[in-house]
Amino acid sequence: MEFDDSTCLGLGIQGALPQSDDHDHQKKNGKKLILKDDQLLPSLTLGRRSENTLKSATKEKESTDVLQQASCMSMSMSALSSISNSKGIRDHHEDEGGSPRKKLRLTKPQFATLEDTFKEHSTLSPQKQGLAEKLNLRPRQVEVWFQNRRARSKLKQTEVECELLKRCCEKLKDENKRLQREVQELKSMKLSGAPLYMKLPAPTLTVCPSCDEKLDGGDGRDVDGDGYGDGDGSSTSRSSFTFGSKHLYNSFTHPSAFC
DNA sequence: CTATCCGACGGGATTACCTCA
DNA sequence: CCTGAGGTAATCCCGTCGGAT
C-alpha cells in the first residue's frame, strides 16, 4: 500500500491536529498552545488531509505534544527516526528515562537529490513539499537541510574570500615596499644634482601593451582633450597619458601604470 | 578522548495576507 | 468603500546543541 504525504494515520487530539512541520510556527510569537477541554478528544484518523483541514489545522493553536501524537503513517523510517529527534519526544523520553534516539543520516540518493536541487536553486519554497514527498522526508527536514546547506555554503564562501583577501593584502604589502624603495631611489637621484631625465634609463616612456592591442584599429581619440587618457582629467596620478592613439607611461617610475 | 560534521532546534526579523474596527 | 492596526503564517538567518563518525 502506498501512502503519500497527504495520507495520514493520525493518533492525536481531535480538533487540533497540526500538519505543519514547521516548528517555527509553533514557537512564533512565543505562543503556548492551549486547547479547550472539549477540544482534547483522543482520535485515530486515517485519510487524506484536505486543503481545508490543513488550513484550519495550521490556524489552530497547537501543542508540541499534540504534534508528536499526530505522526503520519506515511513517513519513512528515516522520517520516523527523525520525528523522534524532535524536542517533544526527546523531552518525553527524558521524562521517562527512555533510550536516546538515533540521529538521522540522509541516504546517498537523498543527499544527491538535495544537492542537485540546491545547485539549481539555493531556496526551495515552491518545491519543498514535492521534494519532501520524493525523498520520503518531512518538509521540515528538507527545509532544515536547505537552511544548513546555505549556512555552510556561506561559511565556505567566507573562508575563500578571507583567503583571497589575505593574499591580496600580502601583494599590496609587497607593492608598497617596492614603491617606497622606488621613492627612496628617486629622492637620492634628485639630491645628487643631475637632471632627472639624464638619470632615467633609456626606455623611459613605454607604450602600454594592453593599449597597444586595444587601440590598434581604433581612433584612440583623447575624449576630453586634456592630453591624458583618463577622461575627466582627474586621474589619481599623472603617471600616464595618451599620445595619438597610444597610452604611454613611464615604465621606470610607474612600471605598473599600464591599463 | 578530541575534533569535525551535520541534522535539528530556538529565537528574532521580515514579508504577505487576512480580519476588523 | 477605504484605511490602518493587529494577528497569523511562511520563510529566512543566526547561533547553538548534540549524536555520529
Side-chain angles (χ1 to χ4, degrees), chain A residues 202-234:
Chain A
T204 317
L205 292 178
T206 309
V207 176
C208 165
S210 94
C211 279
D212 213 2
E213 263 176 44
K214 262 191 289 183
L215 298 176
D216 265 348
D219 63 9
R221 250 176 293 175
D222 179 11
V223 179
D224 56 359
D226 64 358
Y228 294 92
D230 54 8
D232 62 3
S234 61

PDB file of all heavy atoms in Angstrom, chain A residues 202-234:
ATOM      1  N   ALA A 202      67.127  54.362 -20.522  1.00  0.00           N
ATOM      2  CA  ALA A 202      66.730  54.732 -21.876  1.00  0.00           C
ATOM      3  C   ALA A 202      65.233  54.594 -22.179  1.00  0.00           C
ATOM      4  O   ALA A 202      64.588  55.572 -22.536  1.00  0.00           O
ATOM      5  CB  ALA A 202      67.541  53.937 -22.888  1.00  0.00           C
ATOM      6  N   PRO A 203      64.650  53.420 -22.017  1.00  0.00           N
ATOM      7  CA  PRO A 203      63.240  53.289 -22.427  1.00  0.00           C
ATOM      8  C   PRO A 203      62.292  53.785 -21.355  1.00  0.00           C
ATOM      9  O   PRO A 203      61.558  53.020 -20.759  1.00  0.00           O
ATOM     10  CB  PRO A 203      63.086  51.798 -22.644  1.00  0.00           C
ATOM     11  CG  PRO A 203      64.073  51.184 -21.705  1.00  0.00           C
ATOM     12  CD  PRO A 203      65.160  52.191 -21.454  1.00  0.00           C
ATOM     13  N   THR A 204      62.323  55.091 -21.088  1.00  0.00           N
ATOM     14  CA  THR A 204      61.514  55.622 -20.003  1.00  0.00           C
ATOM     15  C   THR A 204      60.027  55.604 -20.321  1.00  0.00           C
ATOM     16  O   THR A 204      59.200  55.253 -19.493  1.00  0.00           O
ATOM     17  CB  THR A 204      61.914  57.062 -19.701  1.00  0.00           C
ATOM     18  OG1 THR A 204      63.304  57.120 -19.730  1.00  0.00           O
ATOM     19  CG2 THR A 204      61.393  57.479 -18.364  1.00  0.00           C
ATOM     20  N   LEU A 205      59.690  56.010 -21.545  1.00  0.00           N
ATOM     21  CA  LEU A 205      58.287  56.025 -21.928  1.00  0.00           C
ATOM     22  C   LEU A 205      57.970  54.796 -22.762  1.00  0.00           C
ATOM     23  O   LEU A 205      58.638  54.531 -23.763  1.00  0.00           O
ATOM     24  CB  LEU A 205      57.974  57.297 -22.722  1.00  0.00           C
ATOM     25  CG  LEU A 205      58.051  58.580 -21.917  1.00  0.00           C
ATOM     26  CD1 LEU A 205      57.779  59.790 -22.808  1.00  0.00           C
ATOM     27  CD2 LEU A 205      57.070  58.560 -20.762  1.00  0.00           C
ATOM     28  N   THR A 206      56.986  54.101 -22.317  1.00  0.00           N
ATOM     29  CA  THR A 206      56.650  52.840 -22.969  1.00  0.00           C
ATOM     30  C   THR A 206      55.188  52.860 -23.389  1.00  0.00           C
ATOM     31  O   THR A 206      54.352  53.418 -22.678  1.00  0.00           O
ATOM     32  CB  THR A 206      56.864  51.680 -21.978  1.00  0.00           C
ATOM     33  OG1 THR A 206      58.164  51.828 -21.429  1.00  0.00           O
ATOM     34  CG2 THR A 206      56.719  50.338 -22.655  1.00  0.00           C
ATOM     35  N   VAL A 207      54.932  52.271 -24.525  1.00  0.00           N
ATOM     36  CA  VAL A 207      53.530  52.136 -24.936  1.00  0.00           C
ATOM     37  C   VAL A 207      52.904  51.033 -24.106  1.00  0.00           C
ATOM     38  O   VAL A 207      53.433  49.930 -24.018  1.00  0.00           O
ATOM     39  CB  VAL A 207      53.419  51.776 -26.417  1.00  0.00           C
ATOM     40  CG1 VAL A 207      51.960  51.542 -26.806  1.00  0.00           C
ATOM     41  CG2 VAL A 207      54.013  52.881 -27.264  1.00  0.00           C
ATOM     42  N   CYS A 208      51.809  51.396 -23.499  1.00  0.00           N
ATOM     43  CA  CYS A 208      51.097  50.409 -22.694  1.00  0.00           C
ATOM     44  C   CYS A 208      50.743  49.207 -23.560  1.00  0.00           C
ATOM     45  O   CYS A 208      50.082  49.361 -24.580  1.00  0.00           O
ATOM     46  CB  CYS A 208      49.838  51.035 -22.116  1.00  0.00           C
ATOM     47  SG  CYS A 208      48.676  49.846 -21.486  1.00  0.00           S
ATOM     48  N   PRO A 209      51.202  48.041 -23.184  1.00  0.00           N
ATOM     49  CA  PRO A 209      50.985  46.866 -24.029  1.00  0.00           C
ATOM     50  C   PRO A 209      49.512  46.560 -24.270  1.00  0.00           C
ATOM     51  O   PRO A 209      49.130  46.153 -25.355  1.00  0.00           O
ATOM     52  CB  PRO A 209      51.640  45.733 -23.245  1.00  0.00           C
ATOM     53  CG  PRO A 209      51.911  46.260 -21.896  1.00  0.00           C
ATOM     54  CD  PRO A 209      51.900  47.750 -21.957  1.00  0.00           C
ATOM     55  N   SER A 210      48.701  46.793 -23.234  1.00  0.00           N
ATOM     56  CA  SER A 210      47.286  46.456 -23.427  1.00  0.00           C
ATOM     57  C   SER A 210      46.627  47.465 -24.362  1.00  0.00           C
ATOM     58  O   SER A 210      45.763  47.122 -25.147  1.00  0.00           O
ATOM     59  CB  SER A 210      46.574  46.372 -22.101  1.00  0.00           C
ATOM     60  OG  SER A 210      45.969  47.568 -21.774  1.00  0.00           O
ATOM     61  N   CYS A 211      47.062  48.734 -24.274  1.00  0.00           N
ATOM     62  CA  CYS A 211      46.510  49.740 -25.182  1.00  0.00           C
ATOM     63  C   CYS A 211      46.975  49.455 -26.597  1.00  0.00           C
ATOM     64  O   CYS A 211      46.239  49.634 -27.560  1.00  0.00           O
ATOM     65  CB  CYS A 211      46.978  51.128 -24.810  1.00  0.00           C
ATOM     66  SG  CYS A 211      46.037  51.803 -23.486  1.00  0.00           S
ATOM     67  N   ASP A 212      48.219  49.051 -26.683  1.00  0.00           N
ATOM     68  CA  ASP A 212      48.778  48.754 -27.986  1.00  0.00           C
ATOM     69  C   ASP A 212      47.882  47.773 -28.718  1.00  0.00           C
ATOM     70  O   ASP A 212      47.621  47.877 -29.902  1.00  0.00           O
ATOM     71  CB  ASP A 212      50.173  48.160 -27.802  1.00  0.00           C
ATOM     72  CG  ASP A 212      51.073  48.572 -28.960  1.00  0.00           C
ATOM     73  OD1 ASP A 212      50.604  49.329 -29.851  1.00  0.00           O
ATOM     74  OD2 ASP A 212      52.220  48.130 -28.981  1.00  0.00           O
ATOM     75  N   GLU A 213      47.384  46.818 -27.935  1.00  0.00           N
ATOM     76  CA  GLU A 213      46.488  45.826 -28.524  1.00  0.00           C
ATOM     77  C   GLU A 213      45.125  46.417 -28.769  1.00  0.00           C
ATOM     78  O   GLU A 213      44.575  46.363 -29.840  1.00  0.00           O
ATOM     79  CB  GLU A 213      46.315  44.657 -27.543  1.00  0.00           C
ATOM     80  CG  GLU A 213      47.223  43.503 -27.832  1.00  0.00           C
ATOM     81  CD  GLU A 213      47.058  42.443 -26.777  1.00  0.00           C
ATOM     82  OE1 GLU A 213      45.909  42.146 -26.413  1.00  0.00           O
ATOM     83  OE2 GLU A 213      48.083  41.912 -26.309  1.00  0.00           O
ATOM     84  N   LYS A 214      44.591  47.043 -27.692  1.00  0.00           N
ATOM     85  CA  LYS A 214      43.219  47.526 -27.733  1.00  0.00           C
ATOM     86  C   LYS A 214      43.014  48.577 -28.810  1.00  0.00           C
ATOM     87  O   LYS A 214      42.026  48.572 -29.512  1.00  0.00           O
ATOM     88  CB  LYS A 214      42.860  48.156 -26.377  1.00  0.00           C
ATOM     89  CG  LYS A 214      42.110  47.228 -25.465  1.00  0.00           C
ATOM     90  CD  LYS A 214      41.560  47.974 -24.292  1.00  0.00           C
ATOM     91  CE  LYS A 214      42.647  48.420 -23.332  1.00  0.00           C
ATOM     92  NZ  LYS A 214      42.151  49.092 -22.145  1.00  0.00           N
ATOM     93  N   LEU A 215      43.964  49.506 -28.887  1.00  0.00           N
ATOM     94  CA  LEU A 215      43.746  50.656 -29.746  1.00  0.00           C
ATOM     95  C   LEU A 215      44.139  50.420 -31.188  1.00  0.00           C
ATOM     96  O   LEU A 215      43.885  51.250 -32.041  1.00  0.00           O
ATOM     97  CB  LEU A 215      44.500  51.868 -29.195  1.00  0.00           C
ATOM     98  CG  LEU A 215      44.023  52.296 -27.821  1.00  0.00           C
ATOM     99  CD1 LEU A 215      44.876  53.441 -27.301  1.00  0.00           C
ATOM    100  CD2 LEU A 215      42.560  52.705 -27.849  1.00  0.00           C
ATOM    101  N   ASP A 216      44.744  49.326 -31.435  1.00  0.00           N
ATOM    102  CA  ASP A 216      45.045  49.019 -32.817  1.00  0.00           C
ATOM    103  C   ASP A 216      43.756  48.981 -33.609  1.00  0.00           C
ATOM    104  O   ASP A 216      42.855  48.228 -33.307  1.00  0.00           O
ATOM    105  CB  ASP A 216      45.755  47.652 -32.917  1.00  0.00           C
ATOM    106  CG  ASP A 216      47.255  47.850 -32.941  1.00  0.00           C
ATOM    107  OD1 ASP A 216      47.703  49.005 -33.105  1.00  0.00           O
ATOM    108  OD2 ASP A 216      47.955  46.852 -32.794  1.00  0.00           O
ATOM    109  N   GLY A 217      43.663  49.835 -34.623  1.00  0.00           N
ATOM    110  CA  GLY A 217      42.434  49.843 -35.407  1.00  0.00           C
ATOM    111  C   GLY A 217      41.424  50.845 -34.878  1.00  0.00           C
ATOM    112  O   GLY A 217      40.507  51.245 -35.568  1.00  0.00           O
ATOM    113  N   GLY A 218      41.550  51.278 -33.635  1.00  0.00           N
ATOM    114  CA  GLY A 218      40.644  52.272 -33.085  1.00  0.00           C
ATOM    115  C   GLY A 218      41.182  53.660 -33.386  1.00  0.00           C
ATOM    116  O   GLY A 218      42.299  53.804 -33.855  1.00  0.00           O
ATOM    117  N   ASP A 219      40.358  54.693 -33.106  1.00  0.00           N
ATOM    118  CA  ASP A 219      40.847  56.025 -33.416  1.00  0.00           C
ATOM    119  C   ASP A 219      41.654  56.613 -32.280  1.00  0.00           C
ATOM    120  O   ASP A 219      42.357  57.595 -32.444  1.00  0.00           O
ATOM    121  CB  ASP A 219      39.704  56.961 -33.824  1.00  0.00           C
ATOM    122  CG  ASP A 219      38.714  57.179 -32.712  1.00  0.00           C
ATOM    123  OD1 ASP A 219      39.006  56.747 -31.568  1.00  0.00           O
ATOM    124  OD2 ASP A 219      37.672  57.762 -32.970  1.00  0.00           O
ATOM    125  N   GLY A 220      41.539  56.018 -31.098  1.00  0.00           N
ATOM    126  CA  GLY A 220      42.385  56.409 -29.999  1.00  0.00           C
ATOM    127  C   GLY A 220      42.250  57.871 -29.616  1.00  0.00           C
ATOM    128  O   GLY A 220      43.177  58.495 -29.144  1.00  0.00           O
ATOM    129  N   ARG A 221      41.059  58.415 -29.830  1.00  0.00           N
ATOM    130  CA  ARG A 221      40.881  59.826 -29.523  1.00  0.00           C
ATOM    131  C   ARG A 221      40.966  60.107 -28.040  1.00  0.00           C
ATOM    132  O   ARG A 221      40.503  59.330 -27.219  1.00  0.00           O
ATOM    133  CB  ARG A 221      39.516  60.306 -30.051  1.00  0.00           C
ATOM    134  CG  ARG A 221      39.689  61.250 -31.224  1.00  0.00           C
ATOM    135  CD  ARG A 221      38.330  61.594 -31.761  1.00  0.00           C
ATOM    136  NE  ARG A 221      37.706  60.418 -32.351  1.00  0.00           N
ATOM    137  CZ  ARG A 221      36.467  60.422 -32.816  1.00  0.00           C
ATOM    138  NH1 ARG A 221      35.747  61.508 -32.764  1.00  0.00           N
ATOM    139  NH2 ARG A 221      35.953  59.340 -33.348  1.00  0.00           N
ATOM    140  N   ASP A 222      41.529  61.230 -27.749  1.00  0.00           N
ATOM    141  CA  ASP A 222      41.558  61.675 -26.368  1.00  0.00           C
ATOM    142  C   ASP A 222      40.246  62.396 -26.110  1.00  0.00           C
ATOM    143  O   ASP A 222      40.070  63.548 -26.459  1.00  0.00           O
ATOM    144  CB  ASP A 222      42.748  62.609 -26.163  1.00  0.00           C
ATOM    145  CG  ASP A 222      42.813  63.121 -24.738  1.00  0.00           C
ATOM    146  OD1 ASP A 222      42.068  62.583 -23.885  1.00  0.00           O
ATOM    147  OD2 ASP A 222      43.576  64.045 -24.497  1.00  0.00           O
ATOM    148  N   VAL A 223      39.342  61.690 -25.494  1.00  0.00           N
ATOM    149  CA  VAL A 223      37.966  62.163 -25.395  1.00  0.00           C
ATOM    150  C   VAL A 223      37.841  63.538 -24.783  1.00  0.00           C
ATOM    151  O   VAL A 223      37.159  64.412 -25.310  1.00  0.00           O
ATOM    152  CB  VAL A 223      37.135  61.150 -24.579  1.00  0.00           C
ATOM    153  CG1 VAL A 223      35.719  61.631 -24.441  1.00  0.00           C
ATOM    154  CG2 VAL A 223      37.184  59.793 -25.269  1.00  0.00           C
ATOM    155  N   ASP A 224      38.519  63.747 -23.676  1.00  0.00           N
ATOM    156  CA  ASP A 224      38.321  65.038 -23.011  1.00  0.00           C
ATOM    157  C   ASP A 224      39.351  66.079 -23.440  1.00  0.00           C
ATOM    158  O   ASP A 224      39.344  67.196 -22.947  1.00  0.00           O
ATOM    159  CB  ASP A 224      38.339  64.867 -21.491  1.00  0.00           C
ATOM    160  CG  ASP A 224      39.617  64.211 -21.030  1.00  0.00           C
ATOM    161  OD1 ASP A 224      40.471  63.882 -21.892  1.00  0.00           O
ATOM    162  OD2 ASP A 224      39.773  64.033 -19.835  1.00  0.00           O
ATOM    163  N   GLY A 225      40.230  65.688 -24.346  1.00  0.00           N
ATOM    164  CA  GLY A 225      41.152  66.641 -24.930  1.00  0.00           C
ATOM    165  C   GLY A 225      42.172  67.211 -23.961  1.00  0.00           C
ATOM    166  O   GLY A 225      42.774  68.243 -24.222  1.00  0.00           O
ATOM    167  N   ASP A 226      42.349  66.561 -22.850  1.00  0.00           N
ATOM    168  CA  ASP A 226      43.315  67.119 -21.907  1.00  0.00           C
ATOM    169  C   ASP A 226      44.691  66.526 -22.084  1.00  0.00           C
ATOM    170  O   ASP A 226      45.613  66.843 -21.350  1.00  0.00           O
ATOM    171  CB  ASP A 226      42.834  66.926 -20.453  1.00  0.00           C
ATOM    172  CG  ASP A 226      42.759  65.470 -20.089  1.00  0.00           C
ATOM    173  OD1 ASP A 226      43.040  64.603 -20.959  1.00  0.00           O
ATOM    174  OD2 ASP A 226      42.413  65.169 -18.953  1.00  0.00           O
ATOM    175  N   GLY A 227      44.813  65.685 -23.084  1.00  0.00           N
ATOM    176  CA  GLY A 227      46.113  65.089 -23.325  1.00  0.00           C
ATOM    177  C   GLY A 227      46.351  63.855 -22.490  1.00  0.00           C
ATOM    178  O   GLY A 227      47.308  63.122 -22.688  1.00  0.00           O
ATOM    179  N   TYR A 228      45.479  63.651 -21.545  1.00  0.00           N
ATOM    180  CA  TYR A 228      45.566  62.449 -20.730  1.00  0.00           C
ATOM    181  C   TYR A 228      44.436  61.529 -21.115  1.00  0.00           C
ATOM    182  O   TYR A 228      43.377  61.959 -21.549  1.00  0.00           O
ATOM    183  CB  TYR A 228      45.468  62.810 -19.247  1.00  0.00           C
ATOM    184  CG  TYR A 228      46.639  63.620 -18.780  1.00  0.00           C
ATOM    185  CD1 TYR A 228      46.562  64.999 -18.818  1.00  0.00           C
ATOM    186  CD2 TYR A 228      47.804  63.011 -18.358  1.00  0.00           C
ATOM    187  CE1 TYR A 228      47.633  65.766 -18.410  1.00  0.00           C
ATOM    188  CE2 TYR A 228      48.874  63.777 -17.950  1.00  0.00           C
ATOM    189  CZ  TYR A 228      48.790  65.148 -17.965  1.00  0.00           C
ATOM    190  OH  TYR A 228      49.847  65.906 -17.562  1.00  0.00           O
ATOM    191  N   GLY A 229      44.679  60.295 -20.940  1.00  0.00           N
ATOM    192  CA  GLY A 229      43.686  59.348 -21.414  1.00  0.00           C
ATOM    193  C   GLY A 229      42.630  58.950 -20.425  1.00  0.00           C
ATOM    194  O   GLY A 229      41.881  58.034 -20.646  1.00  0.00           O
ATOM    195  N   ASP A 230      42.519  59.672 -19.333  1.00  0.00           N
ATOM    196  CA  ASP A 230      41.614  59.196 -18.303  1.00  0.00           C
ATOM    197  C   ASP A 230      40.291  59.956 -18.252  1.00  0.00           C
ATOM    198  O   ASP A 230      39.624  59.994 -17.253  1.00  0.00           O
ATOM    199  CB  ASP A 230      42.283  59.234 -16.936  1.00  0.00           C
ATOM    200  CG  ASP A 230      42.829  60.596 -16.635  1.00  0.00           C
ATOM    201  OD1 ASP A 230      42.539  61.527 -17.426  1.00  0.00           O
ATOM    202  OD2 ASP A 230      43.523  60.734 -15.653  1.00  0.00           O
ATOM    203  N   GLY A 231      39.935  60.551 -19.363  1.00  0.00           N
ATOM    204  CA  GLY A 231      38.600  61.132 -19.449  1.00  0.00           C
ATOM    205  C   GLY A 231      38.444  62.465 -18.767  1.00  0.00           C
ATOM    206  O   GLY A 231      38.575  63.503 -19.387  1.00  0.00           O
ATOM    207  N   ASP A 232      38.191  62.463 -17.450  1.00  0.00           N
ATOM    208  CA  ASP A 232      37.871  63.726 -16.791  1.00  0.00           C
ATOM    209  C   ASP A 232      39.112  64.464 -16.299  1.00  0.00           C
ATOM    210  O   ASP A 232      39.026  65.512 -15.705  1.00  0.00           O
ATOM    211  CB  ASP A 232      36.928  63.482 -15.616  1.00  0.00           C
ATOM    212  CG  ASP A 232      37.536  62.605 -14.557  1.00  0.00           C
ATOM    213  OD1 ASP A 232      38.727  62.219 -14.690  1.00  0.00           O
ATOM    214  OD2 ASP A 232      36.841  62.290 -13.606  1.00  0.00           O
ATOM    215  N   GLY A 233      40.247  63.908 -16.570  1.00  0.00           N
ATOM    216  CA  GLY A 233      41.483  64.575 -16.178  1.00  0.00           C
ATOM    217  C   GLY A 233      41.702  64.564 -14.689  1.00  0.00           C
ATOM    218  O   GLY A 233      42.582  65.222 -14.172  1.00  0.00           O
ATOM    219  N   SER A 234      40.884  63.796 -13.979  1.00  0.00           N
ATOM    220  CA  SER A 234      41.043  63.775 -12.536  1.00  0.00           C
ATOM    221  C   SER A 234      41.725  62.493 -12.087  1.00  0.00           C
ATOM    222  O   SER A 234      41.500  62.027 -11.000  1.00  0.00           O
ATOM    223  CB  SER A 234      39.678  63.884 -11.872  1.00  0.00           C
ATOM    224  OG  SER A 234      38.889  62.795 -12.263  1.00  0.00           O
TER     225      SER A 234
END
